[in-house]
Amino acid sequence: MKDDYLVSKWALIRRNELVDIPDELEIHPDFLRRFSHAEFESAFRKIGEMFRQIYSDMAVSPQKFGLPLYKVNEYDYFSNQAREARTSPYNLFYFMLCLFACGDFNGTTVITDTAEVRKTDKSKRTNLLLEALCDYGFSFGGIKKYSLSSGDHLEIDYPKNRIILEVLSSISKKVKHTQLKDVKNYRSGSATFSNAFIGWNYKILTEDLHTCSLAEGCDYVADKMHNEADREVIFTLDKILTEHGFSKKKGDPNEGPSIRYYRQKSSVYDYALTSDTGNLYLELRIRNAKNCLEYLSECPERIVELFRYSDTGCQNRINETCRFGVKYEFEGEEKWHCGCCGAPFKIHPTKEDIPHYLKLWELGKKK
C-alpha cells in the first residue's frame, strides 16, 4: 500500500465487501425491457469488475480520488481521522448512485440536475471523483473543469458500451426507491452494508423494480462471504437459533455487517455472526468460562484454543473499571477476554462444531 495510508487498507476491505457474482444470474423481466438477458448480464458483470478495480486503484493512489492521506500508526482507532479513513472509500460509489438515481435518459446519455446532486449527496471533492471516473470509460459534459457548480446539468456518457449506463441507472433508481426509501441516514453502517448498489449485489436483479427483500435476514452477512462453507454455517446456525426462539437484528460495526441474536429482550446479544474485515466470526456471550472448562475435553482442539487464548484487555481493565471482561484460570494460567466492544469469545465457526457452540453458551450463560 502506497506510503502506508490508513485509507489504502480500508479501500481493500471495502473491495472485499463486493458480493460475488455467481455463474448464472436470475434477472427479472423488469430489467430486460430494452436488452436481452445476455446483454444485461454482461454489462452487470463488467460493472462489478470496474468497481473492484476502482477499489484496488484507491489503495494504490488514494490522492487521485480525493481520499484522506492519514498515515498508519499516526492516529488511534477512535480518532476522527481513522473514522474518515474507514468510510471515505465509499464516497465515489455513493456519488455514482446519486448521479444515476437523480438522472434521466436523453437519447443515449443520462442527464442529471447538478443542483439536485449537490443537495442529495454530500461527497466532497466531487471534481476529483468525476475526473477519476473518466479513466474507467465515462465522459461528462455540461460543466466546466469537472465542477458541478459550473452548470445546471451534467451529461453522462459511456461511449464504449451504453448498456453500462442503463444497468447503472436501473439499479440505482431501484435502490433509491426501495432500500433507501425510508432511511434517514443512508450512510450508516447497516444501510451501507445492505445497499445493493454499493455492494453490487446481484440479488437486486431477482425481484421487480418496486420490490427488494435482500439483506433482510442472515443474507446480510452471508452475502459478504466468499466461500460456500462460511455461507452454509451462517444459514445453518441462523435456522437453529431462530427455531430455538432467538430474535435477531442487524449490528452496525465499522469492520463489516453483523447479525446479533437475543434469547431474551435485552440490549446485550448472546450470539453474533460477524464479518470482521471480510473474515467470518461467531461471537459467544459466555459470562462464566469456568463452567465450560470441564466440557472442553469433548471439544476439538480449535475450540480449546479459544479458551487457551488470552487478550490484554482494554483501557477499562487497566483502570480496573471493566464490568464486561471474563477472567478465569485454565491450564494453570489466568486468562482474560475483553467484552467491552463485543462478546468475549470469538471464533471462526464451522458447521460441525455448532453443537459445541450451543453447549458452551448454555454452560457459560450464568455467573
Side-chain angles (χ1 to χ4, degrees), residues 68-339:
L69 304 181
Y70 306 126
K71 295 291 188 67
V72 173
N73 299 324
E74 290 186 3
Y75 300 93
D76 68 53
Y77 183 85
F78 299 100
S79 66
N80 290 333
Q81 292 84 355
R83 290 188 177 94
E84 184 182 358
R86 287 195 289 270
T87 59
S88 60
Y90 292 132
N91 289 347
L92 180 141
F93 300 96
Y94 273 117
F95 184 54
M96 289 182 69
L97 170 60
C98 181
L99 288 179
F100 287 97
C102 295
D104 293 297
F105 272 93
N106 181 16
T108 58
T109 61
V110 174
I111 304 297
T112 297
D113 185 290
T114 55
E116 185 178 1
V117 171
R118 292 163 64 196
K119 178 182 177 180
T120 304
D121 185 72
K122 303 303 181 183
S123 297
K124 299 177 181 179
R125 308 186 75 179
T126 55
N127 60 317
L128 290 181
L129 298 181
L130 288 171
E131 188 173 3
L133 285 171
C134 292
D135 290 342
Y136 302 96
F138 294 93
S139 65
F140 302 99
I143 59 174
K144 299 177 181 178
K145 296 182 179 180
Y146 303 105
S147 172
L148 290 176
S149 61
S150 67
D152 59 7
H153 74 276
L154 175 68
E155 183 178 2
I156 309 171
D157 197 3
Y158 197 88
K160 291 190 297 184
N161 183 357
R162 291 193 169 98
I163 302 177
I164 295 286
L165 297 178
E166 297 270 1
V167 175
L168 288 168
S169 178
S170 60
I171 292 177
S172 64
K173 288 181 181 297
K174 177 174 177 177
V175 168
K176 177 184 177 181
H177 296 299
T178 58
Q179 286 191 303
L180 300 181
K181 182 179 179 180
D182 299 314
V183 176
K184 293 181 179 180
N185 180 12
Y186 68 92
R187 284 184 176 244
S188 69
S190 59
T192 301
F193 297 138
S194 301
N195 190 308
F197 187 93
I198 302 299
W200 205 241
N201 192 334
Y202 67 95
K203 292 182 179 179
I204 194 74
L205 304 175
T206 63
E207 299 172 303
D208 65 59
L209 294 176
H210 309 289
T211 306
C212 185
S213 59
L214 67 86
E216 292 181 358
C218 63
D219 283 358
Y220 177 59
V221 176
D223 285 351
K224 303 299 185 182
M225 297 296 103
H226 301 294
N227 68 74
E228 190 57 37
D230 283 347
R231 287 189 282 265
E232 186 175 0
V233 74
I234 291 171
F235 294 134
T236 302
L237 191 52
D238 177 81
K239 184 174 186 293
I240 291 171
L241 293 177
T242 301
E243 290 175 348
H244 280 71
F246 284 80
S247 61
K248 63 188 175 187
K249 64 181 182 180
K250 294 177 181 178
D252 195 13
N254 296 314
E255 292 78 5
S258 178
I259 291 286
R260 295 169 178 176
Y261 297 84
Y262 303 77
R263 190 65 181 89
Q264 298 176 338
K265 291 183 178 180
S266 170
S267 60
V268 181
Y269 57 88
D270 297 290
Y271 294 94
L273 286 164
T274 301
S275 175
D276 187 331
T277 62
N279 299 304
L280 177 64
Y281 289 100
L282 170 66
E283 296 182 51
L284 291 162
R285 184 74 61 182
I286 295 174
R287 292 173 169 83
N288 191 341
K290 182 179 178 181
N291 292 349
C292 301
L293 301 182
E294 184 177 346
Y295 178 73
L296 292 181
S297 62
E298 302 179 35
C299 297
E301 184 65 17
R302 55 183 170 268
I303 291 182
V304 178
E305 282 294 325
L306 175 62
F307 285 78
R308 189 172 286 136
Y309 166 78
S310 182
D311 62 43
T312 57
C314 61
Q315 187 64 38
N316 292 334
R317 187 190 182 197
I318 297 173
N319 297 337
E320 298 184 349
T321 60
C322 184
R323 298 185 294 114
F324 304 106
V326 175
K327 182 171 66 173
Y328 59 99
E329 187 174 304
F330 183 52
E331 296 178 339
E333 296 181 354
E334 182 179 282
K335 306 293 182 181
W336 177 275
H337 285 234
C338 184

